[in-house]
Amino acid sequence: MIKEKLKILVEMEPRKMIMYPLIVFGIALIIILANYITTGSIVKEGIELQGGSVITLQGVTADPDTIAEKIREETGISVNVEKFTSVTGGGGIRVYIPAGENVDKVKEALKQLFPNVEPQTTVIGPTFGRMVKEQGIKAITYAFIGMAIVVFLFFRVPVPSLTVVFSAFSDMVIAIALMDIFGIELSQATIAALLMLIGYSVDSNILLTTRLLKRKEFTVEEAYYSSLKTGFTMSTTTLGALASLWLFSTAQVIDDIASVLIFGLLADFMNTWILNAGVLRLYITKREGKK
């Protein structure tokens, strides 16, 4: 039944296939711009990038939201609290305090809540946070440039190459916009997830572009439908694995990585199998019409 549903895409007019993903891309840009105007950043930065302090309490199993609320009531300081589980089976909570806030007041409040647990404090300086942020941005930029060079060298045709690069860029923009909507912070973990998105989006786009440009015995629609079925299987299996990771993980870091990858993969399905396919179908029709 699902394969029959996919035929709707094959029968869709190519210009409409291009238009819908571009509208979504435009909405994503507006969301990011609005976030930048209101907060000064395209996406909320985590404590690893802003700097601040982390207080760890081993063996505490209380609800993180309840603890955060009690600390806010007691000290007036807004903190993030998350549970963690170590590889040895132990666990506890981590309290993230923004830079510039009074760590001692938070520590005192925690001592009142958990008098038998000794808090361990780690300080992340703003300079270190800036350095991590700069290195993360450089890593994404260089990865993107490297990917674009390889794509251009592989296809040596401007329109399909540019579409592959734009699709990867759109995946990241939409993933960042969804991070803004769902309040997921930019951290070392989510930067790594955005880097992984570049690789995954290029894989699916290269599969589609190669099959359509280098087909011989099939029509464009037949080659597209065949690629679409393969791509749908690839995307759903990966999404299933990431959804399981998100559902069963107890670590905020893993939840954030899984969430960003899910956002990106959903965007990638649209950008690859609708936007890129629409551009390629138009491009091939015009190219073969000139022969």
Side-chain angles (χ1 to χ4, degrees), residues 53-263:
S53 301
V54 183
I55 298 177
T56 304
L57 299 177
Q58 298 283 352
V60 173
T61 58
D63 178 58
D65 293 336
T66 305
I67 297 173
E69 182 60 27
K70 286 184 177 177
I71 291 173
R72 193 186 63 76
E73 289 173 358
E74 187 70 26
T75 65
I77 299 172
S78 295
V79 299
N80 290 329
V81 183
E82 69 171 32
K83 275 186 178 179
F84 69 91
T85 304
S86 68
V87 292
T88 57
I93 60 166
R94 292 193 182 96
V95 181
Y96 296 90
I97 307 153
E101 298 290 358
N102 191 329
V103 180
D104 290 335
K105 283 177 70 176
V106 177
K107 198 184 286 186
E108 192 59 37
L110 287 170
K111 280 183 178 176
Q112 290 177 16
L113 289 171
F114 310 102
N116 298 324
V117 181
E118 184 62 31
Q120 300 167 342
T121 307
T122 305
V123 178
I124 302 171
T127 305
F128 179 75
R130 270 200 304 276
M131 185 183 72
V132 171
K133 179 182 172 182
E134 288 171 2
Q135 288 181 350
I137 292 171
K138 280 182 183 176
I140 291 176
T141 305
Y142 293 152
F144 208 85
I145 292 171
M147 175 273 290
I149 291 171
V150 172
V151 168
F152 275 100
L153 288 175
F154 184 75
F155 289 114
R156 298 177 184 275
V157 189
V159 173
S161 303
L162 283 170
T163 310
V164 171
V165 173
F166 177 78
S167 295
F169 178 67
S170 180
D171 290 350
M172 292 182 64
V173 168
I174 293 170
I176 290 171
L178 289 171
M179 286 171 68
D180 287 336
I181 291 172
F182 289 98
I184 297 174
E185 296 177 342
L186 188 68
S187 63
Q188 293 182 51
T190 49
I191 287 173
L194 291 171
L195 278 168
M196 283 187 265
L197 269 185
I198 295 175
Y200 188 87
S201 63
V202 171
D203 276 357
S204 54
N205 275 288
I206 285 179
L207 168 70
L208 173 69
T209 308
T210 303
R211 286 207 184 170
L212 262 62
L213 291 181
K214 298 187 178 180
R215 79 197 192 288
K216 291 181 180 175
E217 66 270 26
F218 299 111
T219 65
V220 176
E221 285 70 25
E222 288 170 341
Y224 170 49
Y225 184 53
S226 171
S227 306
L228 183 60
K229 287 187 290 184
T230 306
F232 181 79
T233 305
M234 288 167 55
S235 297
T236 48
T237 51
T238 310
L239 282 171
L242 289 171
S244 300
L245 191 66
W246 183 78
L247 283 171
F248 297 110
S249 163
T250 57
Q252 187 64 42
V253 171
I254 294 176
D255 283 350
D256 288 348
I257 291 175
S259 299
V260 173
L261 288 174
I262 289 171
F263 297 157

